[in-house]
Amino acid sequence: MLIAQHIEMLKHTLFGLFYVMTEGVVWNNTPTAERKLFLVMLIDYLQVQRIVCARLYGWTKQTQDIVQNTDIVYICTNLISQVVPHYTLFIVASFLIIICLSDTFYAAHLFKRGSIDRMWPLKVLRFLVATMVTTAFSSIIKWLMIPTNCLVTEDAPSFSVAVRGEGAECTPFAMPEVLATAPMILLGMLYVAFALVTSHLSFEVNPLS
């Protein structure tokens, strides 16, 4: 009974938080707003198309490569990956997720106390939802899963090689690799839950979002 009350309180807090977060957002049908909406929908569609057309689902490598090169977010993140060191992206993704979750908990705490006069956490949360959930979700997940990439893709750089040296086998769940893999799993679960909850609540608050 006590757990059910806490869950219900959490649901009301989160729903109220997202209601306040979207309050004051003006939805209009001007040509500029329609073009912006179309661009966002196109970016989302190209990301979904890239994921669906992966070799894992039976598509050829040639098809996968062609579809990948039509995804704007994939092209941008791929260029970043060529400039930024591989495992630095794992740290960046982890840091972004921690910021995202911390801001969410802080904003929920302020809302629960009735201190909604501090608007900057809500503005930050709105920006994080728009970027890390709507636009760059697949890229953030890909960077976060870098320590276990060698289990999925044979030609992916092995985290074990970076830790143990050349010739090491792919063992992300052995010591000392697990010190990075365990937080990765925890952050991944929290991030996916955050994306699901924010997507659901954003639609509940405003079905046109």
Side-chain angles (χ1 to χ4, degrees):
M1 188 67 179
L2 186 61
I3 297 177
Q5 290 178 350
H6 281 294
I7 293 176
E8 194 66 24
M9 186 182 300
L10 178 63
K11 286 169 60 178
H12 284 298
T13 300
L14 290 176
F15 186 87
L17 174 65
F18 274 78
Y19 180 82
V20 174
M21 186 183 76
T22 57
E23 190 177 22
V25 178
V26 179
W27 303 94
N28 51 49
N29 293 321
T30 62
T32 302
E34 290 179 353
R35 283 193 290 268
K36 181 180 178 181
L37 179 61
F38 177 78
L39 178 61
V40 172
M41 291 175 62
L42 178 62
I43 292 173
D44 285 346
Y45 169 77
L46 292 175
Q47 289 188 85
V48 173
Q49 178 181 255
R50 172 177 60 84
I51 294 171
V52 171
C53 293
R55 294 178 65 185
L56 180 65
Y57 301 113
W59 296 89
T60 62
K61 186 179 184 303
Q62 291 77 10
T63 302
Q64 176 182 272
D65 292 341
I66 292 173
V67 173
Q68 281 181 347
N69 291 326
T70 63
D71 182 2
I72 300 171
V73 175
Y74 174 80
I75 293 172
C76 293
T77 54
N78 197 36
L79 290 174
I80 293 173
S81 301
Q82 294 179 12
V83 177
V84 179
H86 190 61
Y87 297 107
T88 303
L89 296 175
F90 165 69
I91 298 174
V92 170
S94 302
F95 184 67
L96 288 174
I97 293 173
I98 291 172
I99 290 178
C100 194
L101 296 173
S102 300
D103 181 68
T104 302
F105 283 117
Y106 181 61
H109 175 69
L110 291 179
F111 178 82
K112 190 175 179 181
R113 289 176 52 190
S115 305
I116 57 175
D117 53 322
R118 300 181 188 177
M119 293 301 295
W120 70 263
L122 298 179
K123 292 180 180 179
V124 172
L125 182 59
R126 184 187 301 169
F127 174 76
L128 291 173
V129 170
T131 54
M132 293 186 59
V133 175
T134 306
T135 306
F137 176 80
S138 60
S139 300
I140 297 294
I141 282 290
K142 181 177 71 175
W143 291 349
L144 183 66
M145 301 298 289
I146 281 176
T148 57
N149 274 354
C150 58
L151 295 176
V152 181
T153 308
E154 293 183 358
D155 57 350
S158 174
F159 186 62
S160 298
V161 171
V163 174
R164 297 173 182 267
E166 200 66 35
E169 295 183 2
C170 177
T171 54
F173 295 102
M175 286 293 291
E177 295 96 313
V178 73
L179 297 177
T181 306
M184 177 209 76
I185 294 173
L186 177 61
L187 288 176
M189 293 172 62
L190 292 174
Y191 181 48
V192 170
F194 172 81
L196 289 174
V197 171
T198 53
S199 299
H200 175 71
L201 289 178
S202 295
F203 183 79
E204 286 289 329
V205 171
N206 183 6
L208 297 179
S209 63

